[in-house]
Amino acid sequence: MNDLHPVKKILILSANPKGTTQLRLDEEVREIEEGLLRAKKRDKFRIKSPRAVRYRDIRRAILDFEPHILHFSGHGAGEQGLVFEDETGQEKLVNAEALAGLFKLFSDKLECVVLNACYSEVQATAIAKSIPYVVGMKKAIGDKAAIEFAVGFYDALGAGKSYEFAYKLGCSAIAVAGIPEKLTPQLLTKEDLACFSSTPSFYIERPPIEQNCYQAIMEPGALLRIKAPTKMGKTLLLEKVLEYASQQNYQTVKFDFQLADRSVLTDFKTFLQWFCVSVADSLDLEDKLDEYWRDIFGLNKNCTRYLQKYLLSVTDIPLVLALDNFEQLFAEKKIFGEFCLLLRGWYETAKQGTRVGQLWKKLRLIVVYSTDDYPKLNTNHSPFNVGLLVELFNLNESQLKQLVKLYGLEEELDLAAINSLMRLVEGNPYLMDRALVCIKNQSLSLEQLLQTAPTDEGIYSNRLRQLLWNLQQNPQLEAAFKKVVTASKPIMLDTERGFKLKSMGLVKLSGDGYLTSCDLYQQYFSVHLKDTKAGG
């Protein structure tokens, strides 16, 4: 931890406005305070923790206390912002741009910001441009996990450890408590942003995928499924398809299930009503849920009725409904299977030549999902296997050259350099993109990048640790992958394990056997799986 200041001031802000889910904020603050009181370096810290913070209180508290560490506990709403209170105690959203601008004014004192709120990675990314260390949550985080992280984080600081160590101990505390959310907190630094944020990502077309998608979405009643391991360009492709649909004067609605509040996933009825109202809201229509929802009907019938009698009947213009990050529903057993059957039913109805079938022909569905979570699914039960399937694969050498050109790196990277990167990541678009951003920003030389890439100090450390964590949740899959990593030739695996490892992007087929998908994974996992008992 930075020792420029003899005493570290920690400002803990918390807000739980009226009408929002009640959180255990008092418990979190109390645990932090008690932990630091027990710390061996407790005399090195001062804490101030105002409750029920209004948006105006943020600047006043910072001006008054001049903290080195600012901790926020409360609700987050992704792109919309963090939730504070207004003068009446109701919720007031403060977005990333506003928070980043405010904290930048105090960057001469602020060393670290911790945003212990759901979906706060958006704000953390913006704030990290001016603050050395920022922690945000990449998705929803439960009360227990949030408290465990905070306690572990400040226990480490109280022992005189660095911010990086404190972050790792906070994540470890979540795991030790038996809570499967250790990957939710994300630590961002200025160095991270130099590699990952200052240059936009590019989508490289992989013909004929794009044209196939455009043609499919023109078909009445179409259902398009886009799948690939995480960060292969699925969402970027989806945006291109939606842009194409808009050019055809179609209506478009996009759902990102990664931003869905946990409260709407508690039961199927709540989820379907939220779904219906959200579609109507995106189309600038009144929700009219009371008019079309009848408890005498079943849940699927009610949702179908709402779309059929209301949303699809008010216009003759086709509606493209895109469901991004659909894999977020995989773990929701009360919702996933039934919702898949509902979507399948709409698709099948659109094939009919009846009046009702003509209505459903106006709906075009796009479902986008990562295959990383396939190990959690029963591969013998696939309730959603209809429509046109589109899979995204790695870039070939020609497409990699195109990406290098888009970054303006033709002179810096000759054919030999491109081949070195190709051997490392096998054309994985996300891994390649990160490498090119770092080289573009001159934060790493190609030689440094290649040397550190397969380590926990390299630019891929978060991705590698996440894959390792996913494997560790399935010991049989972990052991099977070790067989592949330690073998000198393609290894035969049973159908299910081979399928799941390939879905995670960890292996590729070679004849009838499997190889590690890229040299980066081969180097990293040959070290980190050394204590795993092989099997398969």
Side-chain angles (χ1 to χ4, degrees), residues 24 32-33 48 61 85 208 217 231 251 300 309 312 317 354 365 372 399 461 465:
R24 294 156 60 190
I32 293 171
E33 292 174 337
K48 186 175 183 179
E85 295 189 10
I217 212 65
K231 300 183 185 298
Q251 301 175 98
N300 284 0
K309 290 184 174 292
L312 295 177
I317 301 174
T354 62
L365 288 168
D372 282 39
Q399 291 160 351
S461 58
R465 284 197 294 265

Side-chain angles (χ1 to χ4, degrees), residues 340-371:
C340 287
L341 292 174
L342 182 62
L343 298 178
R344 181 172 187 156
W346 295 346
Y347 172 70
E348 297 294 345
T349 302
K351 295 178 181 180
Q352 300 174 8
T354 62
R355 182 187 63 82
V356 171
Q358 293 303 314
L359 276 175
W360 285 98
K361 281 180 170 60
K362 288 188 280 186
L363 181 66
R364 321 292 163 87
L365 288 168
I366 308 177
V367 182
V368 183
Y369 53 99
S370 168
T371 55

Side-chain angles (χ1 to χ4, degrees), residues 227-245:
K227 76 169 188 175
T230 191
K231 300 183 185 298
M232 289 286 286
K234 300 181 297 297
T235 297
L236 291 174
L237 173 59
L238 173 62
E239 295 295 343
K240 289 180 71 69
V241 177
L242 291 177
E243 181 182 3
Y244 179 82

Side-chain angles (χ1 to χ4, degrees), residues 333-535:
K333 296 181 180 179
K334 298 178 182 178
I335 294 172
F336 176 62
E338 287 296 321
F339 191 53
C340 287
L341 292 174
L342 182 62
L343 298 178
R344 181 172 187 156
W346 295 346
Y347 172 70
E348 297 294 345
T349 302
K351 295 178 181 180
Q352 300 174 8
T354 62
R355 182 187 63 82
V356 171
Q358 293 303 314
L359 276 175
W360 285 98
K361 281 180 170 60
K362 288 188 280 186
L363 181 66
R364 321 292 163 87
L365 288 168
I366 308 177
V367 182
V368 183
Y369 53 99
S370 168
T371 55
D372 282 39
D373 286 333
Y374 269 23
K376 300 176 184 176
L377 297 178
N378 181 351
T379 53
N380 295 319
H381 176 63
S382 179
F384 200 53
N385 54 7
V386 295
L388 175 67
L389 174 62
V390 173
E391 294 189 70
L392 286 178
F393 300 103
N394 287 342
L395 305 178
N396 59 33
E397 184 178 320
S398 173
Q399 291 160 351
L400 283 179
K401 289 180 180 178
Q402 185 183 348
L403 185 60
V404 169
K405 185 176 181 180
L406 285 171
Y407 275 110
L409 291 171
E410 304 100 310
E411 294 184 5
E412 289 87 344
L413 297 177
D414 58 16
L415 183 58
I418 293 175
N419 287 337
S420 295
L421 287 172
M422 186 71 169
R423 284 193 297 273
L424 180 69
V425 302
E426 285 290 327
N428 181 293
Y430 166 71
L431 301 178
M432 189 70 178
D433 187 75
R434 287 210 157 183
L436 295 180
V437 172
C438 283
I439 295 169
K440 176 72 174 178
N441 294 329
Q442 299 181 340
S443 57
L444 279 178
S445 68
L446 177 60
E447 183 180 0
Q448 291 172 321
L449 189 152
L450 294 173
Q451 183 177 358
T452 61
T455 73
D456 285 326
E457 303 301 320
I459 64 171
Y460 303 122
S461 58
N462 284 343
R463 175 63 180 152
L464 293 170
R465 284 197 294 265
Q466 183 161 4
L467 285 169
L468 180 60
W469 170 257
N470 291 344
L471 282 170
Q472 289 171 339
Q473 306 317 297
N474 190 323
Q476 290 184 339
L477 209 57
E478 181 183 7
F481 185 48
K482 184 183 177 182
K483 284 183 64 177
V484 177
V485 169
T486 56
S488 58
K489 60 182 181 179
I491 288 293
M492 297 286 290
L493 297 174
D494 66 69
T495 302
E496 181 173 358
R497 293 180 198 177
F499 170 76
K500 288 182 175 181
L501 288 172
K502 187 171 182 292
S503 297
M504 295 171 70
L506 289 170
V507 301
K508 60 184 178 182
L509 274 169
S510 178
D512 293 329
Y514 290 92
L515 295 171
T516 311
S517 62
C518 65
D519 191 50
L520 173 69
Y521 294 163
Q522 178 67 36
Q523 292 184 59
Y524 181 82
F525 289 106
S526 64
V527 173
H528 288 79
L529 295 180
K530 61 184 178 182
D531 296 325
T532 305
K533 182 180 178 181

Side-chain angles (χ1 to χ4, degrees), residues 145 148-153 156 164-185 469:
E148 290 292 343
F149 176 81
V151 173
F153 185 87
E164 294 97 328
F165 183 91
Y167 161 74
K168 292 177 181 177
L169 189 64
C171 294
S172 174
I174 295 175
V176 170
I179 305 169
E181 298 180 53
K182 66 168 283 189
L183 294 175
T184 300
W469 170 257

Side-chain angles (χ1 to χ4, degrees), residues 38 61 92 94 124 206 215 229 247 265 325 365 419 440 491:
R38 293 191 299 268
K92 168 73 175 179
V94 181
R206 281 159 268 188
Q215 292 173 13
Q247 291 171 355
L265 301 176
N325 289 303
L365 288 168
N419 287 337
K440 176 72 174 178
I491 288 293

